[in-house]
Amino acid sequence: MKRTASPDSSPPVTLVSCTLPPQDRRQLSPPQGSLAIASRLIGARFPCSVVESAQELLPSVFGASALADLFVRQANDILAVSVWDSTLPFVVEAIRRAKEERPELLVVLGGPSASALGVLLLSRFPWLDAVVRGEGETAIVPV
């Protein structure tokens, strides 16, 4: 079931931190950037949830298909996805696949790779809705 915002509230957002899952699960750590952004969203009265791909997916299944399934399973219609160089190709393809199943998804890409390649990403991959450059904590609420 999808959660929707009431007319007088902000739409709910799912923050997805896309990092490669470690072979040793004891090496997992909380997604600090996503948690900081969540704090900012909550302060601006946006309901949100945080998902860490490395926590959700085992190394043996990590890839575009598994990420697409993870994106599609999220209840919210807004995904803010943080991406690193090591995961960028998987994430871009996963977003394309997820939007085939859920065209209503609004996807905002952020993180180090998105900051460096923002304009290029938007021009080459039309299924991306927006790219946040710089610190997500200050940019996410206006987006």
Side-chain angles (χ1 to χ4, degrees):
M1 180 173 173
K2 293 181 188 166
R3 287 179 273 166
T4 57
S6 64
D8 55 346
S9 69
S10 302
V13 177
T14 298
L15 301 168
V16 184
S17 177
C18 288
T19 57
L20 291 173
Q23 293 294 328
D24 184 344
R25 307 293 281 170
R26 295 174 296 177
Q27 294 175 336
L28 287 170
S29 61
Q32 299 298 318
S34 294
L35 293 173
I37 293 169
S39 176
R40 184 68 177 242
L41 285 169
I42 291 166
R45 303 200 187 287
F46 282 84
C48 67
S49 57
V50 176
V51 175
E52 168 58 75
S53 69
Q55 180 71 39
E56 300 290 324
L57 304 173
L58 295 172
S60 60
V61 300
F62 186 89
S65 293
L67 283 171
D69 291 343
L70 179 68
F71 296 160
V72 167
R73 286 195 316 262
Q74 302 311 307
N76 300 331
D77 290 339
I78 301 174
L79 296 179
V81 182
S82 178
V83 63
W84 296 80
D85 297 344
S86 58
T87 58
L88 180 62
F90 302 111
V91 169
V92 169
E93 176 60 16
I95 292 168
R96 185 189 67 75
R97 293 179 188 189
K99 289 189 89 161
E100 286 178 354
E101 269 191 70
R102 290 194 49 204
E104 78 280 4
L105 280 177
L106 175 73
V107 180
V108 178
L109 201 60
S113 292
S115 288
L117 302 170
V119 174
L120 179 63
L121 289 170
L122 287 172
S123 66
R124 302 258 332 254
F125 307 110
W127 53 89
L128 299 176
D129 297 303
V131 172
V132 170
R133 295 180 68 185
E135 294 299 319
E137 296 89 335
T138 55
I140 192 66
V141 173
V143 170

